[in-house]
């Protein structure tokens, strides 16, 4: 169906920055610089500077970033890794695919891992924790780092949905630190619909550890040191393309401005919807953390009735996720009972949130939501 307001509109986004994207395309193509060239190095340097880490290594996807991080940390057979029960399945799949066991922990009202429930999930086998910064809002990294230090756990941040989000770090003289700069690695996805989306799959890790950066640089090339030709282990083919890096580098320059726009849209939704009692909005008013609104996820007690009404009235919405991933039998994951995940899964609905959308379109979404509740 043709929607009046699209969830995202990649073609409209392209038109906004067409000149620079086309210039990047012609530059890469006319030089024939496809694999591991200057654009990739430039993008990696700019990404690391943006996140506030020493290194960034471009990979094929967010999944590859998680997988590579677990490998770099030496997580494998017999190890347990703590992951949230509400996230995209790739967080847990990366753990399973290195031979380890994901141990799920419920989330809180902000959709992120509930730190008060982490300790009860830690066993002798626990080697790592993967906090996910979902929807553009960071998990409580101060608390997570405390627990990781106490139990000697590796921290791998799944920051795929939160590029640019930050949190106050009391230990860093009260400065804010960005998502992806706290743990051993930060894992990034440049899937087209992400805050920084490419034109196909893409990903990266950020890290301050030179050994982890070197490991990832070699392993993304099947273990090969490109200068000496020496293989340093059995690796993977998961390098970020030079062309994608050139596009992402253009978009990265816009990101600070685009984050502000997302925050403005969130404010507009809040003003227009805050009096609706049956609708929970994603505003947490924690002065320690900035929300960058990768997604604007509301919770409606009316569940599918609500989301179907929006769709029927021309508003394209996304449901992530009605069926929690651990309920998919083929994944063979242990369901220890996650009441908050169960409750929110019945209610979540992501409203259109992107930098292409106009104020008038946001107002239209607000009017449709309000008309649902005045029925
Ligand atoms: C929280 C989270 N983790 C991991 C991923 C995996 O990223 P990709 O799709 O680039 O493999 C995604 C994105 O889809 C994500 O949202």
């Amino acid at each position: 169906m043709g929607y009046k307001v699209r969830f995202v509109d990649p073609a409209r986004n392209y038109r906004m920055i067409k000149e620079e994207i086309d210039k990047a395309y012609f530059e890469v193509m006319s030089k024939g610089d496809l694999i591991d060239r200057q654009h990739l190095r430039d993008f990696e340097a700019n990404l690391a500077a943006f996140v506030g880490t020493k290194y960034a290594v471009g990979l094929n996807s967010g999944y590859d970033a998680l997988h590579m991080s677990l490998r770099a940390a030496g997580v494998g057979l017999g190890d347990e890794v703590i992951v949230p029960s509400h996230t995209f399945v790739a967080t847990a799949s990366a753990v399973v695919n290195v031979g380890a066991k994901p141990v799920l922990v419920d989330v809180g009202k902000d959709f992120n891992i509930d730190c008060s429930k982490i300790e009860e999930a830690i066993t002798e086998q626990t080697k790592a924790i993967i906090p996910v910064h979902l929807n553009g809002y960071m998990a409580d990294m101060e608390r997570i780092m405390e627990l990781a230090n106490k139990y000697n756990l590796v921290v791998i941040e799944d920051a795929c949905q939160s590029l640019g989000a930050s949190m106050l770090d009391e230990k860093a003289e009260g400065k804010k630190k960005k998502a992806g700069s706290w743990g051993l690695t930060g894992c990034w996805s440049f899937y087209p619909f992400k805050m920084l989306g490419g034109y196909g799959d893409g990903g990266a890790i950020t890290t301050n550890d030179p050994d982890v950066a070197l490991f990832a640089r070699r392993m993304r090339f099947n273990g090969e040191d490109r200068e000496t030709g020496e293989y340093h282990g059995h690796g993977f083919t998961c390098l970020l393309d030079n062309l994608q890096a050139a596009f992402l580098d253009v978009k990265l320059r816009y990101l600070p401005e685009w984050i502000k726009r997302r925050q403005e849209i969130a404010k507009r939704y809040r003003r227009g919807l805050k009096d609706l009692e049956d609708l929970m909005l994603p505003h947490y008013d924690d002065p320690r953390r900035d929300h960058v609104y990768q997604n604007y996820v509301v919770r409606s007690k009316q569940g599918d009735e609500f989301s179907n009404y929006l769709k029927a009235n021309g508003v394209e919405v996304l449901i992530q996720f009605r069926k929690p991933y651990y309920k998919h039998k083929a994944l063979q994951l242990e369901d220890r009972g996650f009441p908050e995940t169960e409750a929110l899964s019945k209610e979540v609905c992501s409203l259109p949130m992107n930098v292409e959308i106009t104020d008038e379109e946001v107002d239209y979404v607000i009017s449709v939501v309000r008309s649902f509740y005045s029925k």
Side-chain angles (χ1 to χ4, degrees):
M1 113 173 236
Y3 287 105
K4 197 164 168 177
V5 183
R6 300 270 311 271
F7 187 71
V8 288
D9 193 339
R12 202 195 273 184
N13 181 282
Y14 166 65
R15 287 195 295 275
M16 286 163 58
I17 51 172
K18 181 177 182 318
E19 219 172 281
E20 286 160 274
I21 292 291
D22 289 355
K23 190 166 163 257
Y25 173 80
F26 283 114
E27 195 178 302
V28 170
M29 297 307 278
S30 56
K31 286 186 184 155
D33 278 355
L34 301 181
I35 304 291
D36 194 14
R37 293 302 169 99
Q38 195 58 41
H39 295 90
L40 175 62
R41 280 166 221 145
D42 290 347
F43 172 62
E44 288 174 336
N46 292 332
L47 179 67
F50 181 83
V51 173
T53 55
K54 288 192 186 135
Y55 312 98
V57 182
L59 303 171
N60 249 354
S61 67
Y63 168 81
D64 284 313
L66 290 159
H67 178 242
M68 187 68 85
S69 301
L70 289 161
R71 294 269 181 180
V75 176
L77 209 61
D79 294 329
E80 291 179 1
V81 179
I82 290 175
V83 299
S85 51
H86 176 62
T87 176
F88 181 56
V89 66
T91 319
S93 297
V95 175
V96 172
N97 290 341
V98 297
K101 178 185 170 194
V103 175
L104 280 53
V105 169
D106 206 1
V107 295
K109 294 271 182 262
D110 63 359
F111 302 108
N112 285 325
I113 195 162
D114 182 343
C115 292
S116 70
K117 296 192 174 141
I118 292 174
E119 271 183 300
E120 65 200 44
I122 294 173
T123 71
E124 287 288 301
Q125 279 69 48
T126 311
K127 179 113 187 224
I129 174 165
I130 309 184
V132 180
H133 309 309
L134 212 66
N135 299 321
Y137 192 69
M138 282 182 69
D140 187 344
M141 285 308 290
E142 275 211 301
R143 183 77 191 112
I144 289 164
M145 294 311 287
E146 266 168 33
L147 289 168
N149 288 337
K150 183 168 166 194
Y151 293 97
N152 196 24
L153 307 179
V154 175
V155 178
I156 293 166
E157 295 175 70
D158 181 338
C160 289
Q161 296 193 5
S162 287
L163 185 56
S166 61
M167 179 171 180
L168 202 75
D169 181 6
E170 293 297 346
K171 289 194 194 68
E173 294 156 5
K175 285 204 190 94
K176 280 197 169 153
K177 261 172 75 175
K178 290 233 175 84
S181 69
W182 295 65
L184 178 70
T185 64
C187 300
W188 304 104
S189 166
F190 307 125
Y191 181 75
F193 302 160
K194 293 286 191 268
M195 318 243 330
L196 181 68
Y199 299 103
D201 279 316
I205 59 164
T206 45
T207 183
N208 285 313
D209 187 321
D211 295 334
V212 169
L214 184 63
F215 177 85
R217 286 216 161 88
R218 286 170 173 167
M219 291 301 147
R220 69 183 176 177
F221 254 122
N222 299 92
E224 185 185 355
D225 182 320
R226 298 286 284 174
E227 277 169 24
T228 63
E230 184 75 15
Y231 292 112
H232 289 266
H234 292 285
F236 324 97
T237 308
C238 59
L239 172 76
L240 178 66
D241 293 333
N242 196 61
L243 184 60
Q244 288 294 351
F247 294 148
L248 290 165
D249 213 21
V250 170
K251 288 188 161 189
L252 184 59
R253 291 199 284 276
Y254 284 92
L255 196 62
E257 178 186 319
W258 284 354
I259 287 172
K260 282 197 196 120
R261 175 66 187 141
R262 283 175 181 275
Q263 290 167 334
E264 267 170 35
I265 295 166
K267 262 194 207 147
R268 202 170 183 94
Y269 275 138
R270 184 182 209 177
R271 271 201 308 274
L273 301 172
K274 63 176 190 267
D275 58 313
L276 300 173
E277 274 170 20
D278 274 0
L279 194 72
M280 203 188 289
L281 304 180
H283 298 273
Y284 311 113
D285 297 323
D286 176 351
R288 297 176 308 154
R289 284 179 264 190
D290 297 321
H291 205 316
V292 294
Y293 294 102
Q294 159 72 59
N295 301 312
Y296 194 85
V297 184
V298 299
R299 285 178 63 170
S300 166
K301 291 207 167 60
Q302 287 71 27
D304 279 339
E305 198 194 327
F306 174 78
S307 47
N308 289 338
Y309 181 85
L310 263 69
K311 285 190 218 161
N313 285 279
V315 177
E316 189 179 16
V317 293
L318 192 73
I319 310 301
Q320 280 184 326
F321 307 91
R322 260 312 165 256
K323 181 174 172 182
Y325 70 92
Y326 54 82
K327 292 214 182 262
H328 293 251
K329 280 210 172 61
L331 300 185
Q332 298 181 23
L333 295 165
E334 192 185 345
D335 178 355
R336 297 183 300 111
F338 309 108
E340 191 60 36
T341 300
E342 302 273 320
L344 71 85
S345 301
K346 295 189 181 85
E347 299 178 354
V348 283
C349 177
S350 303
L351 302 185
M353 168 59 80
N354 58 69
V355 294
E356 305 88 67
I357 202 171
T358 63
D359 284 349
E360 292 68 36
E361 286 170 323
V362 176
D363 290 345
Y364 178 75
V365 177
I366 292 170
S367 72
V368 173
V369 172
R370 296 197 70 86
S371 77
F372 174 80
Y373 281 107
S374 64
K375 276 194 293 159

